[in-house]
């Protein structure tokens, strides 16, 4: 039975709640209290007391923790850090109201419901009270227009879907939904059924975002018009596949992962002179001169200087120029950055935001700059006041994109643009995401912000750069003068103003030590990686954008083992032309020089939809139209991509990789399609690759077992451990309750890999899944005979360094022992002992 933990700043408050719960819930429900900080009811919370309460309430079925105010939850976050992985997996922190949530949760737990159901019941606890208050008030409801709602009749088509991706309809998935909705000739609305918000227009990003729809919420889609059913099918597929975020988040922190500790909870006695506590965002240390970021907006005129229609046209021109600038930045950015920029671009197209500015210009006859910023401020304030933390964090994106347009409209240079005299530590209230996306890591030693959240877009971008960062230090940090010496420890969330010599020495030494380790690997990153007995292991990169190919080359990649070409297809509403694909693929190939480039053809389907490809509704998209199956059914799309690849292959070392192959017929059909594409190019007078090696992704048990038959039609094999593990273990890798089954080192998965390497010709097997960069997996993969590893570029130097310490014969013996092990944990223990012996 699920247990309940009550975390309160006041012991009497928590103790008084327990009898009330007992009046309604079974005595079998374990209820533990962690409240106050001493026997005399000193107000506060203690992480260690919370830890003990969680363990007391835990019967093995899970624990739900409720807190009275925000810092109680933050203390709980600290306590979660001390739980074992197994305990943490079955412990959930809820933002439900303290009294109503505890009552509802305990009653649900009494029924023997699982943790997820108990949590859901707690989260809904306020609805009855809210509905009662709303029904008895004379306050006017918000008009549909203010909600971004489109008119729709009772005859509309409807469907419902459950949000599977972490955090639900936050900025990027909301942007994808809105963008796809805009491709259909139909009126579309979306409603959060779980908490009764909406319906709102599915074409308005701001309206969709304010639904507050999170992971596990059910949304109802309604459509009316010529393409109503097609729209519902496409949007349902988009939601069901998690908006493409499920793979990106695989192996990451759960949605209830602990946040960094609240600075207010830090013991002041532990802070030295000039030392301040904040939120740990990105590990690393730095000492250097402060460089404040100028965030002041220019003076905004109010009085109009032109007729309303001219003012509106000028605002539209500024919006278009800003959109073009963001699109250009996104086209050269990594996947995570591009997704954030795309969400900002979509904000500029938001009809609710534009309509508000239009009304101010035409009805109130104000300057377009004032009209725009009033609309931006209203929307940002709406986000900031939201009850959902992820919505509050989007206020920064709204202000950031609003600033872009304002400066464009007034013809002014961005005062926040950075001018470095020397490498420095940035000091700001809240770093704009657009600036975070473009930071020069050679000039920015670290970032310190007065405000911010670990899950905000600027934090995501800064972690991507690897820049040591601390947020939430307080408003005083923004008052530091330029040039003041500051220090920071991004792993501990500490900041020093005018640090002492001893602090400077410690931070500098820590930075130097980390840099030495990284440099030791990077210094030899461009050298071949050979085992101790001289066997060459190729270490290549997985790439999702052209810019990442340049990074791969800098990190010493021996080539690109997996170029995902989806970046060419998912940023537009129409398929890319042959010339567009040639130009983009050539840019990647040229960044690599003479190193090989393996291009995976478009991997789309019911689980990875595109605006211009309509797929039938599928009960399980992961087992439906995916990968090569889609391309073979869309010949025009396939032929265009094949022609582009053949043209690039005429001048560069290119290989073709096919996703989700399950039969030899699919490879044969692809070779026939290549011949057709080559003939078309020759007839048009274009050069085409005379030969094009064709490989397959080994992602299913079927393709692994079929390798003996495929060696006659396929030139090489690339094992995708993410999908192979999912299908072999019959466990959705996004299912939090089955996380332990998503480990690629499970013996059955290793055995499938061994079947591939045993059947395939020597040197033709590579791996491009997450396991390739796992230090514990690397010895096994090499021992299994996989001598080509493809991974994220940043992991290449250290992986090469590890390979140089491994004796091939011993890794072979290790792999033989691992495939006979009983579990993934046993395999990991075995390999860790092996690695310890090598180091010892």
């Amino acid at each position: 039975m699920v247990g309940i933990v009550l975390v309160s700043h006041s012991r009497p408050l928590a103790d008084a709640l327990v009898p009330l719960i007992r009046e309604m819930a079974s005595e079998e429900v374990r209820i533990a209290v962690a409240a106050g900080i001493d026997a005399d009811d000193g107000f506060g919370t203690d992480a260690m007391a919370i830890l003990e309460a969680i363990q007391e309430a835990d019967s093995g079925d899970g624990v739900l923790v409720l807190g009275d105010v925000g810092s109680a939850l933050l203390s709980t976050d600290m306590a979660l850090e001390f739980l074992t992985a197994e305990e943490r997996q079955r412990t959930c922190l809820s933002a439900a109201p303290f009294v109503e949530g505890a009552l509802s949760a305990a009653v649900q737990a009494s029924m023997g419901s699982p943790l997820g159901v108990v949590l859901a019941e707690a989260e809904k606890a306020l609805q009855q009270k809210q509905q009662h208050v709303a029904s008895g008030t004379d306050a006017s409801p918000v008009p549909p227009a203010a909600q971004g709602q489109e008119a729709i009749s009772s005859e509309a088509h409807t469907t419902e879907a459950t949000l599977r991706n972490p955090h639900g309809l936050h900025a990027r998935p909301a942007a994808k939904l809105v963008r796809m909705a805009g491709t259909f000739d139909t009126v579309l609305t979306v409603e959060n059924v779980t908490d009764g918000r909406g319906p709102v227009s599915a074409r308005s990003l701001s309206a969709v975002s304010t639904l507050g729809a999170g992971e596990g919420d059910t949304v109802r889609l309604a459509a009316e018009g010529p393409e109503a059913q097609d729209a519902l099918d496409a949007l349902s597929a988009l939601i069901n596949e998690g908006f493409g975020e499920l793979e990106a988040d695989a192996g990451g922190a759960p949605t209830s992962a602990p946040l960094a500790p609240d600075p207010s909870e830090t013991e002041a006695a532990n802070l030295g002179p000039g030392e301040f506590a904040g939120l740990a965002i990105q590990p690393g240390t730095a000492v250097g001169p402060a460089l404040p970021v100028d965030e002041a907006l220019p003076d905004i005129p109010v009085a109009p200087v032109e007729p309303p229609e001219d003012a509106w046209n000028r605002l539209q021109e500024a919006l278009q120029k800003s959109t073009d600038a963001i699109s250009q930045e996104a086209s050269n950015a990594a996947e995570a950055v591009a997704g954030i920029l795309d969400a900002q671009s979509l904000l500029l197209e938001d009809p609710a935001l534009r309509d508000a500015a239009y009304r101010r210009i035409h009805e109130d006859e104000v300057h377009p700059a004032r009209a725009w910023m009033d609309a931006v401020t209203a929307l940002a304030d709406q986000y900031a006041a939201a009850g959902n933390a992820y919505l509050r964090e989007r206020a920064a994106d709204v202000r950031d994109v609003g600033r872009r347009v304002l400066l464009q409209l007034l013809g002014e240079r961005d005062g926040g643009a950075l001018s470095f005299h020397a490498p420095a530590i940035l000091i700001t209230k809240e770093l704009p995401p657009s600036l975070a996306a473009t930071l020069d890591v050679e000039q920015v030693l670290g970032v310190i912000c007065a405000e911010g959240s670990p899950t905000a877009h600027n934090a995501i971008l800064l972690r991507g750069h690897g820049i040591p960062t601390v947020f939430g230090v307080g408003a005083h940090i923004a008052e530091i003068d330029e040039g003041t010496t500051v220090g920071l420890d991004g792993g501990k969330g500490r900041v020093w103003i005018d640090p002492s010599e001893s602090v400077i020495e410690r931070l500098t030494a820590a930075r130097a030590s980390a840099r030495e380790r990284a440099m030791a690997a990077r210094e030899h990153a461009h050298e071949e990686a050979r085992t101790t007995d001289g066997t060459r292991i190729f270490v290549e990169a997985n790439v999702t954008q052209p810019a990442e190919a340049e990074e791969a080359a800098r990190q010493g990649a021996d080539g690109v083992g997996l170029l995902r070409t989806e970046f060419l297809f998912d940023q537009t509403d129409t398929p890319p032309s042959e010339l567009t694909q040639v130009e983009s693929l050539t840019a990647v190939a040229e960044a690599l020089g003479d190193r090989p480039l393996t291009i995976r053809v478009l991997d789309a389907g019911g689980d990875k939809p595109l605006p211009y490809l309509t797929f039938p509704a599928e009960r399980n998209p992961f087992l439906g139209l995916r990968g090569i199956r889609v391309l073979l059914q869309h010949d025009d799309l396939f032929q265009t991509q094949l022609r582009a690849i053949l043209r690039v292959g005429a001048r560069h070392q290119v290989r073709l990789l096919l996703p989700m192959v399950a039969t030899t017929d699919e490879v044969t059909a692809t070779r026939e399609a290549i011949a057709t594409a080559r003939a078309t190019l020759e007839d048009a007078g274009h050069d085409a690759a005379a030969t094009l090696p064709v490989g397959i992704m080994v992602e299913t048990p079927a393709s692994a077992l079929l390798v003996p038959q495929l060696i006659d039609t396929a030139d090489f094999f690339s094992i995708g451990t993410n999908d192979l593990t999912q299908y072999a273990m019959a466990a959705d890798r996004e299912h939090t309750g089955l996380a332990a089954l998503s480990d690629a080192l499970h013996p059955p998965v290793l055995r499938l890999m061994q079947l591939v390497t045993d059947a395939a010709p020597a040197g033709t097997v590579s791996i491009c899944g997450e396991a390739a960069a796992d230090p514990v997996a690397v010895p096994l993969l090499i021992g299994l005979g996989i001598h080509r590893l493809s991974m994220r570029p940043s992991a290449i130097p250290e992986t090469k360094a590890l390979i140089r310490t491994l004796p091939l014969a011993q890794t072979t013996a290790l792999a033989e022992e691992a495939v006979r092990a009983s579990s993934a944990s046993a395999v990991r223990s075995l390999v860790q002992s092996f690695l310890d012996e090598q180091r010892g």
Side-chain angles (χ1 to χ4, degrees):
M1 192 170 290
V2 172
I4 310 294
V5 172
L6 306 176
V7 181
S8 173
H9 284 67
S10 169
R11 185 80 197 190
L13 172 62
D15 286 345
L17 180 56
V18 174
L20 180 60
I21 295 174
R22 289 300 183 198
E23 285 289 325
M24 303 181 183
S26 167
E27 288 290 336
E28 296 179 13
V29 177
R30 295 188 184 184
I31 301 174
V33 171
I37 55 174
D38 57 41
D40 298 324
D41 190 35
F43 292 110
T45 54
D46 177 25
M48 291 301 100
I50 297 171
L51 174 65
E52 294 175 1
I54 291 173
Q55 293 172 333
E56 177 186 342
D58 189 3
S59 65
D61 293 329
V63 176
L64 184 67
V65 184
L66 299 102
D68 56 359
V69 293
S71 55
L73 302 182
L74 292 168
S75 295
T76 305
D77 289 331
M78 296 175 65
L80 294 178
E81 294 284 359
F82 296 95
L83 294 174
T84 65
E86 185 178 352
E87 290 173 329
R88 189 183 303 181
Q89 187 175 2
R90 62 174 182 262
T91 302
C92 186
L93 176 57
S94 173
F98 189 54
V99 176
E100 294 93 337
L103 292 171
S104 297
V107 171
Q108 194 68 38
S110 299
M111 300 164 62
S113 299
L115 180 58
V117 175
V118 175
L119 170 63
E121 193 66 20
E123 300 285 358
K124 293 187 293 185
L126 267 184
Q127 285 187 5
Q128 183 177 1
K129 182 189 288 185
Q130 290 171 328
Q131 291 167 356
H132 176 79
V133 172
S135 66
T137 182
D138 294 329
S140 299
V142 178
Q147 301 178 26
Q149 184 173 335
E150 297 188 75
I152 200 161
S153 75
S154 59
E155 303 299 320
H157 298 259
T158 62
T159 190
E160 292 187 359
T162 299
L163 297 171
R164 301 176 57 216
N165 59 306
H167 314 319
L169 283 176
H170 64 90
R172 279 164 287 173
K176 288 186 177 182
L177 184 143
V178 171
R179 189 175 294 281
M180 181 172 285
T183 65
F184 293 96
D185 181 17
T186 182
V187 177
L188 279 161
T189 64
V190 59
E191 177 182 358
N192 184 346
V193 177
T194 300
D195 66 5
R197 297 186 189 181
V200 300
S201 169
R203 289 182 170 84
S204 170
L205 180 61
S206 59
V208 171
S209 297
T210 55
L211 289 174
E215 181 182 13
D217 284 356
T218 297
V219 294
R220 178 181 295 120
L221 300 165
E224 188 171 29
E227 298 179 327
Q229 193 57 53
D230 289 342
L232 293 182
D233 290 344
L235 291 173
S236 295
L238 180 67
I239 293 170
N240 289 333
E241 63 88 24
F243 298 92
E245 291 192 334
L246 300 184
E247 181 174 354
D249 288 341
T255 55
S256 58
L259 299 177
D262 184 344
S264 66
E265 298 294 322
T266 305
E267 296 182 20
N270 292 334
L271 299 176
E275 182 179 359
F276 301 89
L279 302 173
I281 300 299
Q282 169 62 27
T285 61
V287 176
L291 178 60
V293 178
D294 182 7
E295 300 174 273
L297 291 174
D299 291 334
I300 303 174
V302 177
V305 295
E306 60 214 322
E309 196 57 39
D310 291 345
W312 172 243
N313 290 337
R314 193 150 63 89
L315 175 56
Q316 287 185 300
E317 182 180 351
L319 287 165
Q320 187 58 54
K321 288 181 178 179
S322 299
T323 299
D324 292 344
I326 292 174
S327 298
Q328 181 61 37
E329 293 170 16
S331 67
N332 296 316
E335 186 174 22
V337 177
I340 291 171
L341 292 173
D342 184 57
Q344 286 202 349
S345 178
L346 202 58
L347 268 173
L348 296 180
E349 303 171 14
D350 193 298
L353 195 57
R354 289 186 176 226
D355 289 351
Y358 180 89
R359 288 194 299 271
R360 285 283 280 150
I361 290 173
H362 285 81
E363 297 174 10
D364 301 329
E365 295 188 358
V366 300
H367 193 284
R370 170 54 60 191
W372 170 250
M373 288 310 296
D374 285 350
V376 166
T377 300
L379 180 57
D381 289 347
Q382 185 178 3
Y383 276 118
N388 184 301
Y390 294 98
L391 292 181
R392 292 196 298 271
E393 290 157 8
R394 300 295 81 80
D397 295 273
V398 176
R399 288 190 290 267
D400 186 26
V401 79
R403 179 193 181 92
R404 277 180 177 261
V405 177
L406 176 67
L407 296 173
Q408 184 70 245
L409 191 59
L410 298 179
E412 295 198 17
R413 179 179 177 273
D414 189 352
L418 301 176
S419 178
F420 291 92
H421 302 295
I425 294 176
L426 301 187
I427 308 294
T428 179
K429 177 183 177 182
E430 187 176 36
L431 191 70
S434 60
L435 183 56
T438 58
L439 291 180
D440 183 346
V441 295
E442 297 299 324
Q443 294 292 327
V444 181
L445 301 174
V447 174
I448 302 172
C449 293
E451 302 175 358
S453 160
T455 54
H457 281 163
N458 53 4
I460 295 170
L461 294 168
L462 289 166
R463 280 195 289 266
H465 288 311
I467 297 173
T469 301
V470 178
F471 279 2
V473 181
H476 57 275
I477 199 72
E479 300 172 2
I480 295 177
D481 293 331
E482 182 174 352
T484 302
T485 300
V486 292
L488 72 113
D489 185 333
K492 296 181 178 179
R494 297 295 176 90
V495 169
W496 292 263
I497 301 175
D498 287 322
S500 65
E501 286 300 321
S502 62
V503 170
I504 291 176
E505 289 177 5
R506 178 165 59 82
L507 294 177
T508 303
R511 187 179 182 89
S513 177
R515 179 169 291 183
E516 284 175 8
R517 291 193 300 271
M519 285 181 62
R522 284 200 300 268
E523 283 177 5
H524 301 283
H526 292 273
E527 299 174 9
E528 294 179 354
R530 294 184 179 273
T531 59
T532 56
D533 57 344
T535 300
R536 173 79 184 274
I537 306 297
F538 294 87
V539 183
E540 299 178 322
N542 295 337
V543 169
T544 59
Q545 294 280 346
E548 293 179 7
E550 298 177 4
E551 176 63 14
R554 285 193 295 270
Q555 295 286 2
D558 295 322
V560 165
L562 172 64
L563 172 63
R564 300 179 176 96
T565 56
E566 287 72 44
F567 75 92
L568 290 164
F569 296 84
D570 60 12
Q571 298 295 321
T572 63
D573 295 330
T574 58
S577 67
E578 181 181 323
L579 181 58
T580 295
Q581 295 187 57
V582 169
E583 291 173 346
S584 295
L585 297 177
T586 297
V588 175
E590 290 180 347
L592 296 175
D594 60 355
R595 285 164 287 200
L597 169 61
T598 302
I599 303 173
R600 186 180 71 185
V601 293
L602 173 65
D603 187 9
D607 67 316
K608 300 176 182 178
L610 294 171
Y612 42 83
L613 283 184
T614 301
F615 299 98
E618 296 177 312
R619 185 179 298 274
N620 189 340
F622 284 98
L623 299 178
L625 282 174
R626 287 188 66 188
I628 193 62
R629 303 169 187 174
V630 171
L631 292 175
L632 291 174
Q633 291 189 16
H634 292 81
D635 187 61
D636 289 347
L637 194 68
F638 198 17
Q639 280 294 308
T640 301
Q641 185 170 30
L642 288 176
R643 290 196 301 270
I645 293 171
L646 285 166
R647 289 175 65 176
V648 176
R651 293 172 175 80
H652 301 279
Q653 191 180 165
V654 167
R655 305 195 306 173
L656 186 74
L657 184 60
L658 309 180
M660 201 51 62
V661 170
T663 70
T664 57
D665 289 344
E666 290 165 338
V667 183
T668 301
T670 296
R671 288 195 176 277
E672 293 172 354
I674 293 171
T676 299
R678 182 181 288 112
T680 302
L681 289 173
E682 291 172 350
D683 290 343
H686 292 298
D687 293 336
T691 59
L692 183 65
V694 176
I696 72 159
M697 292 283 292
V698 179
E699 301 171 276
T700 66
S703 55
L705 294 169
L706 197 62
V707 169
Q709 288 73 42
L710 285 167
I711 57 176
D712 293 329
T713 54
D715 298 306
F716 64 96
F717 305 89
S718 184
I719 299 174
T721 55
N722 300 346
D723 272 334
L724 182 61
T725 303
Q726 174 174 250
Y727 291 122
M729 303 304 294
D732 184 346
R733 62 175 179 264
E734 305 308 328
H735 194 302
T736 56
L738 302 176
L741 294 177
S742 297
D743 192 333
L745 299 194
H746 273 291
V749 182
L750 294 177
R751 179 60 180 147
L752 285 171
M753 295 185 204
Q754 188 179 52
L755 290 175
V756 175
T757 56
D758 285 349
T764 63
V765 180
S766 63
I767 190 164
C768 61
E770 292 294 325
D774 183 347
V776 177
V778 169
L780 289 178
L781 300 176
I782 293 174
L784 287 170
I786 302 170
H787 293 176
R788 192 177 292 269
L789 314 177
S790 192
M791 63 199 65
R792 62 184 183 276
S794 61
I796 290 171
E798 292 186 17
T799 301
K800 281 190 169 184
L802 172 60
I803 290 169
R804 297 183 186 112
T805 68
L806 300 175
L808 181 63
Q810 291 184 31
T811 62
T812 302
L814 178 71
E816 287 291 344
E817 188 174 355
V819 297
R820 296 193 299 270
S822 59
S823 65
S825 59
V827 171
R828 289 191 172 275
S829 178
L830 176 70
V831 179
Q832 193 59 60
S833 297
F834 169 80
L835 291 173
D836 291 342
E837 290 176 7
Q838 296 303 308
R839 297 188 187 105

